[in-house]
Amino acid sequence: MTYAHPESLVSTEWLAAALGRHDLRIVDASFKLPGMTPTAQEDYARQHIPGAVFFDVDATSDHADPLPHMLPSDAEMSRMMGALGFGDQHTIVVYDAAGFNSAPRVWWMLKNYGHKNVALLDGGLPKWLAEGRPVTAETPHPVHATFTARLDRSRVRSRAQVQANLSSHAEQVIDARSAARFAGSVAEPRPGLRSGHIPGSFNLPSDKLADPKAKTVLSAEEIERRFAEAGLKRDKPVVTSCGSGVTACALAFGLHLIGWPEPAVYDGSWSEWGLPGDTPVETNS
């Protein structure tokens, strides 16, 4: 079994050979939870792949929404991507410092705002460093470009839609958080949130789709097996969720890579569902 979309994943060898191409844009999409130090941007300032710009997941969002890093309007996304030097004609390669964590969020955002030529760096920065490839502390100064953002809202779910699905069971919901967080046996890292999961949802921690040492994405056969073992059926639509809409996109990337129907992402995820209120919560206790 081969990847259905091999174009969505590039190797470190490919990127090393492509450095300096005029049509290539490289993105460091590293992300950390609030309060973690050093911050992802500080890590980027210390070392990053030459030519890479930093994509701030928190800043690239709807600032009118109190929830973390919710999707911005088309106009805002166009403005922010253009300021980073991303143009409609560019090939964009995304990586993160953990290997396979937040880069899929930026891949998913770019793809669902209509950018076609976007791929993930397999193994991310850990593999790049392990191979002794060059890094720099020099910050590039991107030239403004024209980026046309048109969000495909059919690939985004709201709380109301997820609540309606509790009755209709039209879509399968799968959660990318750790097994302990999904079970409700540990506290959420964001203060004030209840513990547990959306009733009837499945669980597949996002890090289970990558090799724990190399950080490279697993084979198509292994990804398919892990989704099936989690309880998903290929012939029924899927919605992915997580803590705040970031690692949910890692599951979305995995499903895309093996050719399942493109899933939707619950953008508010547990940062919204887990707030005190009337949204039902299940635990494994």
Side-chain angles (χ1 to χ4, degrees):
M1 181 180 180
T2 58
Y3 294 135
H5 294 285
E7 74 282 356
S8 295
L9 197 64
V10 301
S11 68
T12 50
E13 291 81 6
W14 183 94
L15 183 59
L19 287 181
R21 264 178 39 180
H22 74 279
D23 62 335
L24 176 68
R25 297 293 180 269
I26 307 171
V27 186
D28 186 318
S30 302
F31 169 80
K32 292 182 179 180
L33 288 169
M36 293 185 68
T37 56
T39 66
Q41 193 153 12
E42 288 169 341
D43 287 340
Y44 164 83
R46 182 173 58 86
Q47 63 174 12
H48 52 266
I49 294 175
V53 297
F54 183 72
F55 187 111
D56 191 325
V57 171
D58 281 323
T60 312
S61 63
D62 179 358
H63 297 292
D65 197 311
L67 294 170
H69 41 258
M70 296 291 282
L71 294 171
S73 67
D74 289 355
E76 274 298 288
M77 185 69 174
S78 295
R79 182 188 66 79
M80 291 186 282
M81 296 304 96
L84 288 175
F86 302 168
D88 295 337
Q89 76 279 19
H90 291 135
T91 295
I92 302 176
V93 174
V94 189
Y95 74 89
D96 65 55
F100 186 71
N101 181 35
S102 50
R105 169 70 179 188
V106 177
W107 166 86
W108 180 83
M109 287 179 70
L110 292 168
K111 181 175 181 293
N112 283 283
Y113 278 100
H115 196 81
K116 298 188 183 305
N117 296 324
V118 56
L120 229 63
L121 177 63
D122 197 17
L125 189 60
K127 188 171 189 290
W128 185 269
L129 292 173
E131 294 167 349
R133 300 190 187 276
V135 291
T136 183
E138 182 179 347
T139 303
H141 301 284
V143 176
H144 190 279
T146 299
F147 187 97
T148 307
R150 295 189 183 91
L151 180 62
D152 181 357
R153 297 194 179 276
S154 71
R155 297 296 171 213
V156 185
R157 292 293 177 270
S158 66
R159 180 177 63 182
Q161 289 171 311
V162 176
Q163 281 186 292
N165 189 63
L166 295 177
S167 299
S168 70
H169 305 291
E171 298 178 317
Q172 307 169 95
V173 179
I174 187 163
D175 192 319
R177 292 176 299 155
S178 70
R181 289 173 66 188
F182 180 81
S185 59
V186 298
E188 283 293 305
R190 293 182 184 276
L193 297 180
R194 295 172 290 166
S195 297
H197 58 266
I198 297 168
S201 58
F202 302 106
N203 179 224
L204 179 61
S206 59
D207 61 2
K208 300 300 183 184
L209 297 186
D211 183 282
K213 291 184 178 179
K215 307 301 182 184
T216 49
V217 179
L218 298 177
S219 68
E221 292 91 343
E222 189 61 22
I223 293 173
E224 178 110 26
R225 184 180 70 81
R226 295 194 180 199
F227 277 118
E229 287 182 349
L232 288 194
K233 308 295 184 187
R234 177 185 275 269
D235 58 355
K236 188 174 181 180
V238 177
V239 177
T240 66
S241 182
C242 64
S244 62
V246 175
T247 57
C249 298
L251 299 187
F253 181 81
L255 290 166
H256 163 82
L257 202 57
I258 62 174
W260 281 38
E262 295 288 340
V265 170
Y266 175 21
D267 201 29
S269 284
W270 201 254
S271 291
E272 181 176 44
W273 194 272
L275 288 168
D278 60 359
T279 49
V281 169
E282 279 186 349
T283 65
N284 291 356
S285 58

